Amino acid sequence: MSTRKLTNGHSNSNNNNNNDQFKRFKSNNNSSNDFPKNNLPNSGQNANGRSLSIDEQRHQLPVYKVRKQLLNKIASSKTLIVIGETGSGKTTQIPQMIHESIKVNVGIIAVTQPRRVAAITIAKRVALEQKCCIGDTVGYTVRFEDVTSPKTKIKYMTDGSLLREALSDKFLRKYRVIILDEAHERTINTDVLFGIVKEAQRLRMEKGLLPLKIIIMSATMDVDHFSKYFNNCEPIYLAGRTYPVKVLHTAETQSDYLNACLVTLFQIHKTIPVNHDVLIFLTGQDEIENLASQIRCIVKVSNELGGPMIRVFPLYAQLNQNKQLEVFQPSTNNYRKVILSTNIAETSLTIKGIKYVIDSGMVKRKMYDSVTGMDTLKVTRISQDQAWQRTGRAGRESEGFCYRTYTMNEYRMMPAVSVPEILRSNITATVLQLLALGINCRKFDFLDKPSDKDIENAQKQLYELGAITKPNGDELTEVGWNMSKFPLDPRFSKMLLSSIEFGCLDEMLSIVSILSGETIFYQSDDPDKRVEALKAHAKFESIHGDHLTVLNVYNEFKHAERHRTFCHENYLHYRNLEYARDVRRQLSVICERLQLKMSSCGNDYDQVRKCLLTGLYNNVAEMQQDHNFVSVTGRLKTKIHPSSVLNNKANLKFVLFTELVQTSMNFMRIVSSIEPEWIEEVVPNCGLSNRLSIFNQKVNEN
Ligand code: CDP
Ligand code: MG
């Protein structure tokens, strides 16, 4: 392992610079909006080190100090913007305060979250605080999981779930208050919701219905932009306390940020007290699991030599829920907690005890390239705004340190704020959803409007999928209406609908359900077990690729006598397969409602692969002489991901992939082989066959 010098990149980098950055968001402070400063962090302990009761913990949060003023403001405003540091109690407390103060029986308080993990963990915490069972007064709704009851008054939900509810009631009559949380994340769904709830509020007023109150909450945001959009509504700043964080940059550019994070961790691990926890920001599951194993290996050796203990906690959206919850357990004095997280821990989840942050400066983002027409998951630099949010995680309870594995110059080159997802993603699903709401995307009141080119591309794709009547029209076909009924990416709902034609609805339901959840294959940290797992997984392998492989797993799981034992023996994730089974049940109900006739193609797996092509026709790639692939749409050079059963298989010509992940290279994930002649047979109108004949075009190396 190489060592590396870390320098203090800020000439003046502790309190002032740092606080200046945080203050940036309070620039237009006006004293009437500025609440008194709180001075107690929520550490879960009192001054004598006694553990605080849950009520005491609640009452120590910064937001509690301004409860009265806040409630008055909420009562007197139709729309309100609330800005406060991460951990000040916005998400958990404000909905409870409103609930406890209005005590009316009409209407629910909805709180949206961009991520399902956050919606679930926060709802569970709030249920605990309300001393009720989850699903009682406090519940949550995320895609394919509704844990609410008629008694539910505070409902945490993903932004996508609320958007789907708008499809059946554009007045959103169920809700008295809608809180759009984490607004700065600017996910596509939150962006669309801004317009939808604003319109619902206007419509309710026009019709004399119960008024809808809107609260926009965030740790940081471009207040003027939001305020202007929401009819010049007033922002409120919660002055929560953060302690100074000393920021350190690397002296030189690091070619391998993962290694840089690892080196930094062990440099500080040697010198700091064991009860100081470390949070490392990385980009995604593979990377986190990889680094976690490396740390565990090193720690094993170091423990044998009597060094301090480390316990590693991964945290990412796909992690199973129990594992996610482990991160929130307070650590003991016997070991150091090292949390490896995606940007999920940036603002939406607060973990106590963090004194050190190591920031890789990277994030994985979905990027849409309107030239190639491809959506890719790409590892890119974060924005300066994100860098400061990450830094802030070290200063919640006392002074902290943030080690940035990038140079000061690299920091300066970062964009000030991140581009909203709607301006960098494929918006086909959004355009379809808006059309189902009777809204023409070009006329929709967006906070930031997607470009005409992106709207045009989305319409083109909807036309190719058979969802709209004209290439740039706004009239849905029957297929389009039916597609909008599924809580799925339009390409996946298309596959379910077209499976009728191929006689394989049964198979497609299983495949789509598995693709909707987390990976079903268990990977062990232990090298011996890893070999065992590979052996176990090989039994399910289909020569046709990953889609049929997961189908094989599902079919055997379904027929297994003891599901848990079956999963254990075969190194499969029981919970994820159970989840897929539940999703499948829900998708089957929608299919029944649409009167789709159940069918199975038996062993005729060509039918399944042809059916996959009806949705994923844009994701086709052809093998080149050098055994790499080139995507037919966009001419991108790609490879099959090492996790695919088709990796390194000979005799492949054309493949279809589910997604493209860009790390060192564009990797195709979840891949199946297809025959080129199927393209003309199955999707003759998508222009793919023309593209096949111009294969001597220049390859896009990007
Ligand atoms: O939304 P905001 O970032 O302002 O804060 P919050 O999510 O409401 O969190 C307030 C406090 O509740 C933090 O100190 C968290 O550590 C704590 N909390 C917790 O102990 N367990 C959870 N599952 C969620 C929050
Ligand atoms: Mg929050």
Side-chain angles (χ1 to χ4, degrees), residues 90-91 181-182 347-348:
K90 299 182 300 298
T91 311
D181 200 2
E182 302 289 330
T347 58
S348 34

Side-chain angles (χ1 to χ4, degrees), residues 335-350:
Y335 61 85
R336 181 188 323 291
K337 212 160 142 183
V338 173
I339 299 147
L340 309 184
S341 175
T342 58
N343 59 346
I344 197 164
E346 230 167 70
T347 58
S348 34
L349 296 176
T350 326

Side-chain angles (χ1 to χ4, degrees), residues 426-429 431-432 435 454-480 483 490-491 494 614-615 617-618 682-687 691:
N426 180 339
I427 51 167
T428 309
V431 174
L432 176 67
L435 287 177
D454 286 350
I455 296 179
E456 201 179 292
N457 277 342
Q459 284 175 321
K460 180 170 161 276
Q461 199 177 355
L462 286 177
Y463 180 68
E464 288 169 356
L465 288 167
I468 50 177
T469 54
K470 281 190 248 135
N472 53 4
D474 52 13
E475 196 185 323
L476 290 179
T477 60
E478 193 186 338
V479 170
M483 274 164 71
R491 296 170 307 168
K494 170 70 180 192
T614 63
Y617 60 88
N618 259 332
V682 175
V683 278
N685 299 327
C686 300
R691 283 174 237 159

